[in-house]
Amino acid sequence: NFFLQRQTADCLICHEGTFSNQEAQTSCSICPGGRYAATKGQSECNLCIRGHFSDRQASISCTQCEQVEGQRPMFANLNGMTQCQECPIGGLCEPDSDGLYTSFTNADGFFYMRENLSNQTDNTGVVYGCMHGANREACVSKQRCYTDENG
């Protein structure tokens, strides 16, 4: 959208990374972290989608969470994140079908507890050490439990 320049009374278009959502606004607003405006003249900022983040204001794009060899995987499980989070100890972070790191589950020897049990699309939870089995083998990765031939 546009803003009104006071000195000339001209309406000017807001640049990338900014937006205007009110009439007669005298300046453009800056997109906050976790949001971006890729084109001129936007009336609102877009949220960075899961697997991406923006850690600065006035962004024109979001950055995909990168994986660095030898370090714990990073993920962004919510829209609008300002940074990627480190995969927790006992967590298993794997790319989704689009190759993005958007969530985590449990690794072998740990179990995953969803924070909001009633919302199956909520990707927030906690990983705990398994207390069952001689070597914690009762808990298997990806929210499964070990079963033997006896069930």
Side-chain angles (χ1 to χ4, degrees):
N1 278 24
F2 299 87
F3 72 98
L4 179 65
Q5 187 180 44
R6 288 183 182 178
Q7 294 87 352
T8 63
D10 291 331
C11 286
L12 301 176
I13 194 164
C14 291
H15 292 283
E16 297 90 345
T18 65
F19 70 100
S20 174
N21 59 0
Q22 297 174 7
E23 286 188 34
Q25 196 167 326
T26 58
S27 65
C28 298
S29 299
I30 295 173
C31 293
R35 296 177 177 261
Y36 71 100
T39 59
K40 292 180 180 181
Q42 288 194 215
S43 60
E44 64 183 7
C45 301
N46 304 310
L47 282 172
C48 294
I49 61 170
R50 292 175 43 206
H52 297 79
F53 73 101
S54 174
D55 60 355
R56 59 184 200 277
Q57 296 180 342
S59 292
I60 61 171
S61 65
C62 297
T63 304
Q64 186 173 326
C65 294
E66 293 184 13
Q67 307 309 312
V68 178
E69 191 171 334
Q71 294 183 6
R72 298 195 62 71
M74 304 294 284
F75 71 100
N77 60 330
L78 302 171
N79 292 331
M81 293 193 71
T82 58
Q83 63 183 7
C84 296
Q85 298 175 340
E86 186 176 80
C87 191
I89 293 173
L92 178 63
C93 292
E94 297 179 320
D96 64 15
S97 59
D98 295 322
L100 301 173
Y101 288 80
T102 59
S103 64
F104 69 93
T105 188
N106 63 297
D108 288 343
F110 295 85
F111 71 95
Y112 175 83
M113 178 69 71
R114 188 178 305 278
E115 285 184 6
N116 185 350
L117 297 176
S118 63
N119 184 352
Q120 293 300 308
T121 61
D122 182 3
N123 293 308
T124 57
V126 180
V127 176
Y128 298 98
C130 185
M131 303 305 287
H132 302 282
N135 294 311
R136 301 188 330 181
E137 73 271 3
C139 301
V140 184
S141 67
K142 301 181 183 177
Q143 302 180 41
R144 297 174 296 152
C145 293
Y146 173 80
T147 57
D148 59 19
E149 62 278 356
N150 297 322

